[in-house]
């Protein structure tokens, strides 16, 4: 159930301002978040290029030079290097600092929103995994099956870490199972129906599995809220994209395949045929739903 958190933070251990005695907790979560965000950004970039993620050393995407320790400090290295490789001068992919900022933000928001240390840790575990999956889907329309499986398996931490009696663990596990089943069915059923009617794929094959894994963390009510948020966000983005495309078509060269904006520069959308990556919409909405208190681990 959702909670009126803002009213209770005057006495909570978390939710304190940065100048409070608890600022080291914020700092620790922020630093770890920046490191994980750096990994998430690198993973998204590499998967989009078909490169390995787990065992390859960090290197410049342009010249291939292996990066030193001083070039791998999240955010700080990007600023000191002025967003370019020290050796060849090629621009560092802007997804990298974006991922590091978001990873830091997830850590800070988790500490602010959580009622205790356990919930803060679970929020970050959930949010940082969603960051990896969401960036991958946004960058390359690919949801790694291994990452989805890890997200689902990590949901087992919720009942294990819950301060419950033996008689309370089973209901919590059932709530997780219901959330996972509902999440899968909410996407699998319309995907199958679309395929049967239109004889084409209308949704990524990994999206139902991702939402099932999310459901294990959020429960039945959480997945419903997440889907509503994702649908609303998708509609808003689609309308904005359609309006942008209409404006660009008005100034595009009819003999050219590229679309130009009013300044004459080519517009880079990143969307194949205007499609939206559903996983990239579900992941941030799922984290916001958990922050609001609609999850299996904030209800205990």
């Amino acid at each position: 159930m959702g909670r009126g958190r803002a009213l209770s933070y005057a006495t909570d251990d978390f939710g304190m301002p940065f100048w409070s005695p608890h600022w080291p907790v914020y700092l620790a979560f922020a630093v770890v978040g920046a490191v994980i965000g750096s990994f998430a950004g690198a993973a998204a970039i590499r998967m989009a290029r078909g490169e390995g993620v787990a065992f390859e050393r960090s290197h410049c995407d342009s010249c291939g030079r292996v990066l030193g320790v001083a070039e791998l400090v999240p955010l700080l290295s990007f600023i000191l290097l002025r967003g370019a490789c020290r050796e060849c001068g090629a621009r560092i992919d802007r997804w990298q600092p974006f991922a590091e900022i978001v990873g830091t933000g997830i850590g800070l928001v988790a500490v602010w929103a959580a009622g205790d240390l356990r919930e803060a840790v679970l929020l970050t575990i959930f949010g940082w995994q969603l960051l990896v999956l969401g960036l991958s889907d946004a960058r390359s329309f690919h949801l790694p099956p291994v990452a989805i499986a890890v997200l689902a398996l990590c949901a087992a931490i919720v009942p294990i870490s819950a301060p419950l009696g033996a008689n309370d663990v089973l209901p919590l596990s059932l709530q997780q199972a219901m959330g996972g089943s509902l999440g899968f069915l909410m996407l699998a059923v319309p995907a199958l129906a679309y395929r049967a009617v239109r004889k084409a794929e209308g949704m990524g094959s990994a999206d139902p599995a991702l939402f099932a894994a999310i459901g294990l963390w959020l429960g039945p009510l959480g997945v419903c809220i997440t889907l509503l948020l994702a649908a609303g966000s998708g509609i808003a983005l689609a309308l904005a994209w359609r309006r942008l495309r209409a404006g660009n078509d008005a100034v595009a060269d009819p003999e050219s395949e590229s679309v130009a904006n009013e300044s004459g520069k080519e517009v880079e959308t990143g969307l194949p045929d205007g499609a939206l990556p559903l996983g990239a919409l579900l992941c941030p909405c799922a984290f916001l739903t958990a922050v609001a208190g609609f999850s299996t681990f904030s209800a205990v």
Side-chain angles (χ1 to χ4, degrees):
M1 296 296 292
R3 295 180 290 176
R5 300 181 171 208
L7 298 178
S8 64
Y9 281 157
T11 57
D12 280 349
D13 287 337
F14 296 101
M16 297 291 185
F18 282 95
W19 56 85
S20 75
H22 302 285
W23 68 264
V25 179
Y26 282 100
L27 180 61
F29 276 72
V31 170
V32 176
V35 173
I36 294 180
S38 180
F39 168 78
I45 294 169
R46 291 180 185 181
M47 283 187 288
R49 298 181 176 182
E51 300 177 358
V53 175
F55 303 106
E56 289 192 19
R57 296 187 62 183
S58 297
H59 59 272
C60 173
D61 298 326
S62 180
C63 66
R65 181 180 62 87
V66 176
L67 302 180
V69 176
E71 298 171 287
L72 296 174
V73 181
L75 294 176
L76 183 60
S77 294
F78 181 85
I79 295 173
L80 294 178
L81 293 172
R82 297 181 179 180
C85 174
R86 185 175 60 187
E87 184 72 20
C88 67
R91 191 180 76 163
I92 298 174
D93 197 304
R94 295 306 187 255
W95 284 80
Q96 192 63 46
F98 172 77
E100 293 167 1
I101 292 172
V102 175
T104 302
I106 289 173
L108 293 174
V109 169
V111 176
W112 173 82
D116 52 36
L117 183 59
R118 169 189 169 272
E119 187 177 345
V121 171
L122 290 175
L123 253 180
T124 53
I125 292 174
F126 183 54
W128 287 331
Q129 290 187 83
L130 292 177
L131 176 60
V132 175
L133 287 159
L135 285 178
S136 175
D137 199 31
R139 177 75 188 222
S140 59
F141 279 75
H142 174 64
L143 290 168
V146 173
I148 295 176
V150 171
L151 179 65
L153 290 173
C154 285
I157 301 174
V158 175
I160 294 175
S161 64
L164 302 173
N167 295 331
D168 299 319
V169 173
L170 181 59
L172 179 58
S173 299
L174 289 176
Q175 184 183 6
Q176 288 186 291
M178 291 171 59
S181 300
L182 181 61
F184 181 81
L185 292 174
M186 290 176 77
L187 295 188
V189 171
L192 291 174
Y194 185 92
R195 183 191 304 171
V197 174
R198 301 293 297 272
K199 308 300 181 184
E201 298 292 339
M203 184 184 302
S205 59
D207 289 328
L210 170 63
F211 207 34
I214 289 174
L216 296 175
W217 287 84
L218 300 184
L221 181 57
V223 294
C224 293
I225 295 173
T226 298
L227 189 58
L228 286 175
L229 291 175
S233 301
I235 292 172
L237 288 173
L239 292 175
W241 160 247
R242 184 175 181 182
R243 185 171 181 177
L244 176 64
R245 186 63 182 267
N248 291 327
D249 287 343
V251 296
D253 183 357
E255 297 181 358
S256 174
E257 294 182 358
S258 63
V259 178
N261 59 18
E262 295 178 357
S263 63
K265 295 181 179 179
E266 187 176 338
V267 176
E268 191 175 306
T269 64
L271 298 177
D273 300 325
L276 288 174
L278 180 57
L281 296 175
L282 291 173
C283 288
C285 292
F287 180 70
L288 291 176
T289 300
V291 167
F294 297 95
S295 69
T296 55
F297 53 87
S298 62
V300 296

